[in-house]
Short mmCIF file of all heavy atoms in Angstrom, two decimals:
data_model
loop_
_atom_site.label_atom_id
_atom_site.label_comp_id
_atom_site.label_asym_id
_atom_site.label_seq_id
_atom_site.Cartn_x
_atom_site.Cartn_y
_atom_site.Cartn_z
N HIS A 8 -12.36 11.16 12.17
CA HIS A 8 -11.15 10.81 11.44
C HIS A 8 -10.03 11.82 11.71
O HIS A 8 -10.31 12.95 12.09
CB HIS A 8 -11.44 10.77 9.94
CG HIS A 8 -11.83 12.11 9.39
ND1 HIS A 8 -13.10 12.62 9.54
CD2 HIS A 8 -11.12 13.05 8.73
CE1 HIS A 8 -13.15 13.82 8.99
NE2 HIS A 8 -11.96 14.11 8.50
N TRP A 9 -8.78 11.40 11.52
CA TRP A 9 -7.67 12.34 11.66
C TRP A 9 -7.16 12.80 10.30
O TRP A 9 -6.47 13.80 10.18
CB TRP A 9 -6.54 11.80 12.53
CG TRP A 9 -5.88 10.54 12.07
CD1 TRP A 9 -6.26 9.27 12.39
CD2 TRP A 9 -4.72 10.42 11.23
NE1 TRP A 9 -5.41 8.36 11.79
CE2 TRP A 9 -4.46 9.04 11.08
CE3 TRP A 9 -3.90 11.33 10.60
CZ2 TRP A 9 -3.39 8.56 10.30
CZ3 TRP A 9 -2.83 10.85 9.84
CH2 TRP A 9 -2.60 9.48 9.71
N CYS A 10 -7.52 12.03 9.24
CA CYS A 10 -7.21 12.48 7.89
C CYS A 10 -8.12 11.79 6.89
O CYS A 10 -8.78 10.79 7.21
CB CYS A 10 -5.74 12.27 7.53
SG CYS A 10 -5.28 10.59 7.08
N VAL A 11 -8.16 12.35 5.71
CA VAL A 11 -8.91 11.79 4.59
C VAL A 11 -7.93 11.68 3.44
O VAL A 11 -7.10 12.58 3.22
CB VAL A 11 -10.09 12.71 4.21
CG1 VAL A 11 -10.77 12.23 2.95
CG2 VAL A 11 -11.08 12.79 5.35
N VAL A 12 -7.99 10.56 2.69
CA VAL A 12 -7.06 10.34 1.58
C VAL A 12 -7.83 10.25 0.27
O VAL A 12 -8.85 9.56 0.19
CB VAL A 12 -6.26 9.03 1.79
CG1 VAL A 12 -5.29 8.79 0.64
CG2 VAL A 12 -5.51 9.05 3.12
N ALA A 13 -7.33 10.97 -0.74
CA ALA A 13 -7.90 10.88 -2.08
C ALA A 13 -6.80 10.34 -2.99
O ALA A 13 -5.64 10.76 -2.91
CB ALA A 13 -8.35 12.25 -2.57
N TYR A 14 -7.16 9.39 -3.87
CA TYR A 14 -6.21 8.84 -4.84
C TYR A 14 -6.52 9.44 -6.21
O TYR A 14 -7.68 9.49 -6.62
CB TYR A 14 -6.32 7.31 -4.88
CG TYR A 14 -5.55 6.69 -6.02
CD1 TYR A 14 -4.16 6.76 -6.07
CD2 TYR A 14 -6.21 6.03 -7.07
CE1 TYR A 14 -3.45 6.20 -7.12
CE2 TYR A 14 -5.50 5.46 -8.12
CZ TYR A 14 -4.12 5.56 -8.14
OH TYR A 14 -3.42 5.01 -9.19
N TRP A 15 -5.47 9.89 -6.89
CA TRP A 15 -5.61 10.55 -8.20
C TRP A 15 -4.75 9.86 -9.24
O TRP A 15 -3.66 9.37 -8.94
CB TRP A 15 -5.15 12.00 -8.11
CG TRP A 15 -5.97 12.88 -7.22
CD1 TRP A 15 -5.93 12.91 -5.85
CD2 TRP A 15 -6.93 13.85 -7.62
NE1 TRP A 15 -6.82 13.86 -5.39
CE2 TRP A 15 -7.44 14.45 -6.45
CE3 TRP A 15 -7.41 14.28 -8.87
CZ2 TRP A 15 -8.40 15.45 -6.48
CZ3 TRP A 15 -8.35 15.29 -8.89
CH2 TRP A 15 -8.85 15.85 -7.71
N GLU A 16 -5.23 9.86 -10.46
CA GLU A 16 -4.43 9.49 -11.62
C GLU A 16 -4.46 10.69 -12.55
O GLU A 16 -5.53 11.05 -13.07
CB GLU A 16 -5.00 8.24 -12.30
CG GLU A 16 -4.77 7.01 -11.43
CD GLU A 16 -5.36 5.72 -11.98
OE1 GLU A 16 -6.04 5.76 -13.02
OE2 GLU A 16 -5.13 4.69 -11.34
N GLU A 17 -3.31 11.35 -12.65
CA GLU A 17 -3.20 12.62 -13.36
C GLU A 17 -4.24 13.59 -12.80
O GLU A 17 -4.22 13.87 -11.62
CB GLU A 17 -3.31 12.39 -14.88
CG GLU A 17 -2.11 11.57 -15.38
CD GLU A 17 -2.28 10.92 -16.73
OE1 GLU A 17 -3.44 10.65 -17.14
OE2 GLU A 17 -1.25 10.68 -17.38
N LYS A 18 -5.16 14.10 -13.62
CA LYS A 18 -6.12 15.11 -13.14
C LYS A 18 -7.45 14.52 -12.65
O LYS A 18 -8.38 15.26 -12.35
CB LYS A 18 -6.41 16.11 -14.26
CG LYS A 18 -5.24 16.99 -14.63
CD LYS A 18 -5.59 17.93 -15.77
CE LYS A 18 -4.46 18.86 -16.11
NZ LYS A 18 -3.31 18.20 -16.73
N THR A 19 -7.53 13.19 -12.58
CA THR A 19 -8.80 12.55 -12.23
C THR A 19 -8.72 11.84 -10.88
O THR A 19 -7.85 11.00 -10.68
CB THR A 19 -9.18 11.51 -13.32
OG1 THR A 19 -9.17 12.16 -14.58
CG2 THR A 19 -10.54 10.91 -13.04
N ARG A 20 -9.66 12.16 -9.99
CA ARG A 20 -9.72 11.43 -8.73
C ARG A 20 -10.37 10.08 -9.01
O ARG A 20 -11.39 9.99 -9.68
CB ARG A 20 -10.52 12.19 -7.67
CG ARG A 20 -10.30 11.56 -6.29
CD ARG A 20 -10.98 12.28 -5.19
NE ARG A 20 -12.31 11.71 -5.02
CZ ARG A 20 -13.34 12.37 -4.55
NH1 ARG A 20 -13.24 13.62 -4.22
NH2 ARG A 20 -14.51 11.79 -4.42
N VAL A 21 -9.76 9.02 -8.47
CA VAL A 21 -10.25 7.67 -8.67
C VAL A 21 -10.79 7.15 -7.35
O VAL A 21 -10.10 7.16 -6.34
CB VAL A 21 -9.11 6.75 -9.19
CG1 VAL A 21 -9.62 5.33 -9.38
CG2 VAL A 21 -8.54 7.29 -10.50
N GLY A 22 -12.03 6.71 -7.34
CA GLY A 22 -12.64 6.20 -6.11
C GLY A 22 -13.11 7.34 -5.24
O GLY A 22 -13.06 8.51 -5.59
N ARG A 23 -13.58 6.96 -4.06
CA ARG A 23 -14.11 7.93 -3.12
C ARG A 23 -13.05 8.32 -2.10
O ARG A 23 -11.99 7.72 -2.04
CB ARG A 23 -15.34 7.33 -2.44
CG ARG A 23 -16.47 7.17 -3.46
CD ARG A 23 -17.59 6.24 -3.04
NE ARG A 23 -18.23 6.60 -1.79
CZ ARG A 23 -19.02 5.75 -1.14
NH1 ARG A 23 -19.25 4.55 -1.61
NH2 ARG A 23 -19.58 6.10 -0.01
N LEU A 24 -13.36 9.31 -1.28
CA LEU A 24 -12.44 9.72 -0.21
C LEU A 24 -12.36 8.61 0.83
O LEU A 24 -13.37 8.00 1.17
CB LEU A 24 -12.93 11.00 0.45
CG LEU A 24 -12.96 12.25 -0.43
CD1 LEU A 24 -13.58 13.41 0.33
CD2 LEU A 24 -11.57 12.60 -0.91
N TYR A 25 -11.16 8.34 1.32
CA TYR A 25 -10.94 7.30 2.31
C TYR A 25 -10.68 7.97 3.65
O TYR A 25 -9.70 8.69 3.81
CB TYR A 25 -9.75 6.43 1.89
CG TYR A 25 -9.58 5.18 2.70
CD1 TYR A 25 -10.20 4.00 2.33
CD2 TYR A 25 -8.78 5.18 3.85
CE1 TYR A 25 -10.04 2.84 3.07
CE2 TYR A 25 -8.62 4.03 4.60
CZ TYR A 25 -9.25 2.86 4.21
OH TYR A 25 -9.10 1.72 4.95
N SER A 26 -11.55 7.75 4.61
CA SER A 26 -11.45 8.38 5.92
C SER A 26 -10.65 7.47 6.86
O SER A 26 -10.85 6.27 6.90
CB SER A 26 -12.87 8.57 6.46
OG SER A 26 -12.84 9.12 7.74
N VAL A 27 -9.73 8.08 7.62
CA VAL A 27 -8.82 7.30 8.46
C VAL A 27 -9.06 7.59 9.95
O VAL A 27 -8.90 8.72 10.40
CB VAL A 27 -7.35 7.60 8.11
CG1 VAL A 27 -6.41 6.71 8.92
CG2 VAL A 27 -7.11 7.43 6.63
N GLN A 28 -9.44 6.54 10.70
CA GLN A 28 -9.62 6.67 12.14
C GLN A 28 -8.48 6.00 12.91
O GLN A 28 -8.11 6.44 13.98
CB GLN A 28 -10.95 6.01 12.58
CG GLN A 28 -12.19 6.82 12.27
CD GLN A 28 -12.77 6.52 10.90
OE1 GLN A 28 -12.54 5.47 10.33
NE2 GLN A 28 -13.52 7.45 10.37
N GLU A 29 -7.95 4.91 12.36
CA GLU A 29 -6.87 4.16 13.02
C GLU A 29 -5.59 5.00 13.06
O GLU A 29 -5.40 5.84 12.19
CB GLU A 29 -6.60 2.85 12.28
CG GLU A 29 -7.79 1.91 12.23
CD GLU A 29 -8.24 1.44 13.60
OE1 GLU A 29 -7.36 1.10 14.41
OE2 GLU A 29 -9.45 1.43 13.86
N PRO A 30 -4.69 4.74 14.02
CA PRO A 30 -3.45 5.54 14.11
C PRO A 30 -2.51 5.35 12.91
O PRO A 30 -1.67 6.19 12.66
CB PRO A 30 -2.78 5.07 15.39
CG PRO A 30 -3.65 4.04 15.99
CD PRO A 30 -4.84 3.81 15.13
N SER A 31 -2.64 4.24 12.18
CA SER A 31 -1.80 4.10 10.98
C SER A 31 -2.62 3.47 9.85
O SER A 31 -3.61 2.78 10.09
CB SER A 31 -0.54 3.29 11.27
OG SER A 31 -0.82 1.92 11.29
N LEU A 32 -2.19 3.76 8.64
CA LEU A 32 -2.88 3.27 7.45
C LEU A 32 -1.87 2.83 6.42
O LEU A 32 -0.93 3.56 6.10
CB LEU A 32 -3.75 4.39 6.85
CG LEU A 32 -4.36 4.08 5.47
CD1 LEU A 32 -5.43 3.00 5.58
CD2 LEU A 32 -4.93 5.34 4.84
N ASP A 33 -2.06 1.62 5.90
CA ASP A 33 -1.27 1.15 4.77
C ASP A 33 -2.02 1.48 3.50
O ASP A 33 -3.23 1.21 3.39
CB ASP A 33 -1.06 -0.37 4.85
CG ASP A 33 -0.16 -0.76 6.02
OD1 ASP A 33 0.76 0.01 6.33
OD2 ASP A 33 -0.39 -1.83 6.61
N ILE A 34 -1.32 2.10 2.54
CA ILE A 34 -1.89 2.41 1.23
C ILE A 34 -1.03 1.67 0.23
O ILE A 34 0.17 1.93 0.13
CB ILE A 34 -1.88 3.92 0.95
CG1 ILE A 34 -2.64 4.67 2.04
CG2 ILE A 34 -2.47 4.22 -0.43
CD1 ILE A 34 -2.52 6.19 1.97
N PHE A 35 -1.63 0.73 -0.50
CA PHE A 35 -0.84 -0.15 -1.36
C PHE A 35 -1.62 -0.48 -2.62
O PHE A 35 -2.82 -0.22 -2.71
CB PHE A 35 -0.48 -1.44 -0.60
CG PHE A 35 -1.68 -2.06 0.07
CD1 PHE A 35 -2.50 -2.95 -0.60
CD2 PHE A 35 -1.99 -1.73 1.39
CE1 PHE A 35 -3.61 -3.50 0.02
CE2 PHE A 35 -3.11 -2.28 2.01
CZ PHE A 35 -3.91 -3.16 1.33
N TYR A 36 -0.92 -1.09 -3.58
CA TYR A 36 -1.60 -1.46 -4.81
C TYR A 36 -2.22 -2.84 -4.69
O TYR A 36 -3.37 -3.05 -4.97
CB TYR A 36 -0.66 -1.40 -6.02
CG TYR A 36 -1.43 -1.68 -7.29
CD1 TYR A 36 -2.28 -0.71 -7.82
CD2 TYR A 36 -1.35 -2.91 -7.93
CE1 TYR A 36 -3.03 -0.97 -8.95
CE2 TYR A 36 -2.09 -3.17 -9.06
CZ TYR A 36 -2.93 -2.20 -9.58
OH TYR A 36 -3.67 -2.46 -10.68
N ASP A 37 -1.41 -3.78 -4.24
CA ASP A 37 -1.90 -5.14 -4.15
C ASP A 37 -1.10 -5.85 -3.08
O ASP A 37 0.11 -5.91 -3.15
CB ASP A 37 -1.70 -5.84 -5.50
CG ASP A 37 -2.54 -7.09 -5.63
OD1 ASP A 37 -3.41 -7.31 -4.76
OD2 ASP A 37 -2.33 -7.85 -6.58
N LEU A 38 -1.78 -6.37 -2.08
CA LEU A 38 -1.11 -7.02 -0.97
C LEU A 38 -1.96 -8.24 -0.61
O LEU A 38 -3.13 -8.09 -0.28
CB LEU A 38 -1.05 -6.03 0.20
CG LEU A 38 0.01 -6.15 1.26
CD1 LEU A 38 1.40 -6.11 0.66
CD2 LEU A 38 -0.13 -5.03 2.27
N PRO A 39 -1.41 -9.45 -0.69
CA PRO A 39 -2.22 -10.65 -0.45
C PRO A 39 -3.03 -10.62 0.85
O PRO A 39 -4.21 -10.84 0.83
CB PRO A 39 -1.21 -11.78 -0.44
CG PRO A 39 0.00 -11.24 -1.11
CD PRO A 39 -0.02 -9.75 -0.94
N GLN A 40 -2.39 -10.31 1.96
CA GLN A 40 -3.11 -10.25 3.23
C GLN A 40 -3.21 -8.81 3.71
O GLN A 40 -3.18 -8.54 4.89
CB GLN A 40 -2.40 -11.09 4.30
CG GLN A 40 -2.99 -12.47 4.50
CD GLN A 40 -2.82 -13.37 3.30
OE1 GLN A 40 -1.72 -13.52 2.78
NE2 GLN A 40 -3.91 -13.95 2.84
#
């Protein structure tokens, strides 16, 4: 991977670490496709 992403709400990490291999990553709340 070239980076790892962690999502937080205030002081709490939500979910697991997201590892990124692709050259770009979309991070969104809700996207139909």
Side-chain angles (χ1 to χ4, degrees):
H8 64 281
W9 60 270
C10 79
V11 173
V12 180
Y14 170 65
W15 295 77
E16 289 177 356
E17 295 162 334
K18 292 178 177 70
T19 306
R20 193 177 90 207
V21 179
R23 293 163 57 195
L24 295 175
Y25 190 90
S26 177
V27 184
Q28 284 89 22
E29 299 297 316
S31 79
L32 171 69
D33 291 326
I34 302 172
F35 49 87
Y36 185 74
D37 197 10
L38 205 57
Q40 262 66 52

